[in-house]
Each structure stands twice: as C-alpha cells, then as structure tokens.
Amino acid sequence: DKGNHRHFMEKEIYEQPEVISHALSNYVDFHGHTVKPVDAAIDFKSLRGLAVSACGTAYLSGLVGKYWFERYARLPVEIDVASEFRYREMPLYRDQAALFISQSGETADTLASLRYCHEQGLKIGAIVNVKESTIARESDAIFPILAGPEIGVASTKAFTCQLAVLASLAIAAGKARGTVSPEEEKQLVKSLSEMPRIMSQVLNSIQPQMESLARDLSKFKDVLYLGRGTSFPLAMEGALKLKEISYIHAEGYAAGELKHGPIALIDENMPVIVIAPYDRFFEKTVSNMQEVAARGGRIIFITDEKGAAASKLETMATIVLPNVAEIISPMVFALPIQLLAYHTAVFMGTDVDQPRNLAKSVTVE
Ligand code: F6R
C-alpha cells in the first residue's frame, strides 16, 4: 500500500525518520546515550581488521562505514564490491571479521563473498533487512536494519538504515577498543538520537525546491556528483540513484579527483552536484567547486547553513540543510539526493518503482 504517495519510492523516502528511529532503538539507548552491547560473536576488541563486501547501494553504505570504523574504532577496513571480492583471493586472517551488507540478504555475489570468508575461518556479521534470508542464516551475527519491506527497486530507506546501523556499530567498536571515550559515546549517541527529528524537518521543507530543481535537471544528459570524506560515497550514491531511475548518465567522484580527469568534461551542459556539509573538508571541496565555476560549469550546491554562509560562489541552486553533527550528516544529506533523483524521474515519466532492466533482488551472478 502506497498510502497517499504516488510511488513506493516516495513513500519509502518519507518513512525514513520513523524506520531509522526504530532501527536505532535496537542499537542505542536513547535515554542513557550509550550504545547497546553488540552480539558477542563479533569481538571488536580483539579484531585486527574488518573485511566488508556488498553490491550497489549496500556497497556504498559500507564505504561510508569504512570511514566511521577507521575514524572512531581505529579498525582498518578492507572493502570491495562483492563481484570482485569473491574472486580476488584476498589474504584473510582469523583475527579479522567479515561484514556483509544486503537489503534482501539474497544477492548472489554477496553470498559468495560470505562463503569465501566462512571457508577462511572468519566470523561473519550480516547487516540485512530480511532476517530470514540466506545471508542472515549463514552468518554468526545478524544486525537487522529494521527498515520494513522495501518495494521500490531503488534503495532509499534501506540505505539510511544501513548507515544508522553502521554508525552504531562503529561507535560500539570504538567503545570496545577504547578509542571512543564515554563522553564521546554520549555525544555521538545524542547526535544519532536527534537524527529522526532532523530528517523529518528536512523532508518537510525541501520538497518544493527539489521538485523545481528536478525540472531543470531533467534537461541534461550528464551529471557529475562530487564529495569528500563520507560525502564521497554519498556522491556515488546520488549518481547511482539518478541513473537508475531517470536514466540520466551520472558519475560520482571524490572531489579531489576532479583535476585528475573529469574536469575535462566540465561545461554548461553538465551540471555538477557538490555535496559539502561544513565539515573539516569544506574549504577543500569549495576550492574544487571554484575550479568547476572557472570553467563555466553549473553548480548545484548541497550544503548546510554554515556552508551556505561561507561560500560566495554563484550556483544554479543551493540546497541548505540544517547544521548537523558530522556523524549524522550522511543520512541527512541522503534525503535531497534521493528526492532529487525521484522528482527528476517522475518529471521524465519513467517507471520509478520498476526501472527498466533492474530487479529488486539479484540472485544470479
Ligand atoms: C540501488 C539498488 C541496488 C542494490 C544492490 C544490492 O538502488 O537497490 O544497487 O543495493 O542490488 O542489493 P541487496 O542490498 O539486496 O544485496
């Protein structure tokens, strides 16, 4: 049932504050501002590293997770798309654990990667939406994302719920390893607790701007997304969302890679969507944006209040989100990215919930 929404994808985008709150409640104590203990099958304290593998959007959530595990838990993360991971014959060690992320829990390549790690004797954790799935069944520890059924082929709420779970696990890992102090844990969990409210505030305010921007975006054939830090995987997720449902060609790049190639493409026919919260990378990303502007590129700037105040560049559009804690910015910044892709596809008249050539669950290699 779509409720009063035109598509499942729209319904699932708007459900995010509620489902993320549900997901978080499984991992954090909202009142005590602590993370809940993690399934003992994965002993973060003694791990040398983490191997992470997944496909598509789930891979991109894993990539954000890598930044968090390395930063908060000082735990090195090896991550790859499952179709490569399964054949790489990567040397693995028993004091590593492996983490697989899959909404459906049935993706063939992800499952094959899991079995490879299992054979190598690693403990397996699964971040899944479908708890009865094959990937869940073959894992030592299940970390449910509790997003509820996701019907739209383009993943939205599963992505942000995967992020919420990964953030909670990274904090829990940091706590176990002594790299996150009790004070830091309190601050981080407080920020996570505020996220559902902030997400609904954003969803309630940006829709008209996303709709009118989508109308402009639908005229282009190519779009480039740029970001740094955790905004880099988000840039790739933005490009993936746009291409799969609107069929507009899009690429996501690390902002610093711009000058190593893609800058050659910049002209007025390829808008550049820059994702830049006012974080420790902001100035760097703005200087990449200047390089785009200097070559006549059109910029769609997704930032926060501080970022909007700090940048003087002329843009095609600036989307201003509230200033939020760094740990929750990927989930908050996912919202305009999803809505922009959604409204562009609706405007272009594509089959939003069932995009051509795509299946919700990819059970063949
Ligand atoms: C993109 C999308 C796909 C899936 C990928 C993995 O919107 O939905 O890229 O993320 O096929 O699927 P799961 O998570 O079921 O393993």
Side-chain angles (χ1 to χ4, degrees):
D1 180 20
K2 292 179 210 156
N4 48 8
H5 294 283
R6 278 167 295 179
H7 300 98
F8 282 108
M9 183 179 177
E10 184 181 49
K11 172 176 177 261
E12 289 159 5
I13 289 173
Y14 281 89
E15 258 171 20
Q16 289 175 106
E18 194 188 321
V19 291
I20 228 170
S21 165
H22 185 50
L24 279 172
S25 65
N26 203 47
Y27 297 92
V28 305
D29 174 350
F30 288 130
H31 302 291
H33 300 305
T34 53
V35 284
K36 294 185 176 171
V38 174
D39 190 320
I42 309 273
D43 179 17
F44 281 115
K45 188 168 192 281
S46 63
L47 288 183
R48 164 210 301 222
L50 209 52
V52 180
S53 185
C55 300
T57 288
Y59 163 71
L60 296 172
S61 75
L63 214 46
V64 176
K66 173 185 165 83
Y67 285 82
W68 287 334
F69 278 111
E70 295 190 340
R71 171 145 190 229
Y72 296 112
R74 309 303 300 154
L75 188 60
V77 174
E78 173 72 64
I79 175 164
D80 210 344
V81 290
S83 54
E84 291 299 319
F85 188 104
R86 64 181 292 187
Y87 295 119
R88 264 174 69 200
E89 301 180 34
M90 188 193 303
L92 291 167
Y93 305 91
R94 278 164 195 269
D95 51 2
Q96 288 176 300
L99 205 53
F100 300 92
I101 309 167
S102 176
Q103 188 283 129
S104 64
E106 301 296 345
T107 302
D109 284 320
T110 310
L111 181 59
S113 301
L114 182 157
R115 288 177 177 160
Y116 174 76
C117 289
H118 188 75
E119 278 163 24
Q120 307 290 311
L122 269 66
K123 285 278 185 258
I124 313 284
I127 299 184
V128 289
N129 198 26
V130 183
K131 281 195 261 182
E132 307 75 28
S133 58
T134 313
I135 287 176
R137 271 203 316 273
E138 297 195 13
S139 297
D140 300 298
I142 304 174
F143 303 107
I145 65 166
L146 304 166
E150 192 181 59
I151 311 291
V153 164
S155 185
T156 52
K157 63 175 180 172
F159 176 66
T160 49
C161 286
Q162 284 159 358
L163 291 178
V165 172
L166 284 161
S168 307
L169 289 179
I171 299 166
K175 184 181 185 175
R177 296 167 70 80
T179 53
V180 167
S181 68
E183 185 49 37
E184 236 181 318
E185 175 188 9
K186 191 172 163 189
Q187 281 312 318
L188 290 166
V189 174
K190 250 187 175 163
S191 302
L192 290 177
S193 314
E194 288 165 2
M195 180 163 62
R197 181 185 54 78
I198 295 169
M199 289 174 91
S200 22
Q201 182 195 329
V202 169
L203 285 169
N204 288 332
S205 62
I206 60 172
Q207 196 261 350
Q209 190 189 10
M210 293 306 102
E211 224 177 315
S212 82
L213 191 54
R215 203 169 280 260
D216 299 333
L217 204 60
S218 67
K219 299 191 186 87
F220 294 96
K221 296 222 160 2
D222 308 278
V223 178
L224 184 64
Y225 288 73
L226 297 178
R228 253 174 214 270
T230 53
S231 300
F232 163 41
L234 211 53
M236 290 196 276
E237 170 62 5
L240 178 60
K241 244 21 9 140
L242 187 70
K243 76 181 108 183
E244 69 183 329
I245 59 170
S246 77
Y247 315 142
I248 294 175
H249 168 236
E251 298 294 336
Y253 260 93
E257 278 287 290
L258 178 70
K259 58 171 80 59
H260 300 288
I263 198 164
L265 296 170
I266 302 288
D267 64 16
E268 69 284 0
N269 298 317
M270 186 183 67
V272 180
I273 301 185
V274 180
I275 305 166
Y278 193 78
D279 55 17
R280 60 211 157 95
F281 310 116
F282 182 78
E283 291 303 331
K284 303 265 177 214
T285 308
V286 166
S287 76
N288 300 128
M289 216 159 82
Q290 262 150 1
E291 293 159 3
V292 173
R295 285 156 186 87
R298 296 181 209 240
I299 295 161
I300 296 171
F301 187 30
I302 308 182
T303 186
D304 50 27
E305 286 155 8
K306 284 187 191 162
S311 161
K312 304 278 170 279
L313 282 179
E314 202 181 305
T315 64
M316 177 175 151
T318 300
I319 298 155
V320 186
L321 301 177
N323 300 321
V324 299
E326 194 170 329
I327 185 96
I328 66 170
S329 91
M331 291 74 119
V332 175
F333 277 67
L335 303 174
I337 276 163
Q338 296 167 345
L339 281 174
L340 197 55
Y342 172 72
H343 286 294
T344 305
V346 170
F347 187 71
M348 294 175 81
T350 62
D351 190 347
V352 174
D353 283 334
Q354 290 279 321
R356 67 187 183 202
N357 310 338
L358 288 173
K360 183 69 187 161
S361 180
V362 184
T363 52
V364 291
E365 192 175 337

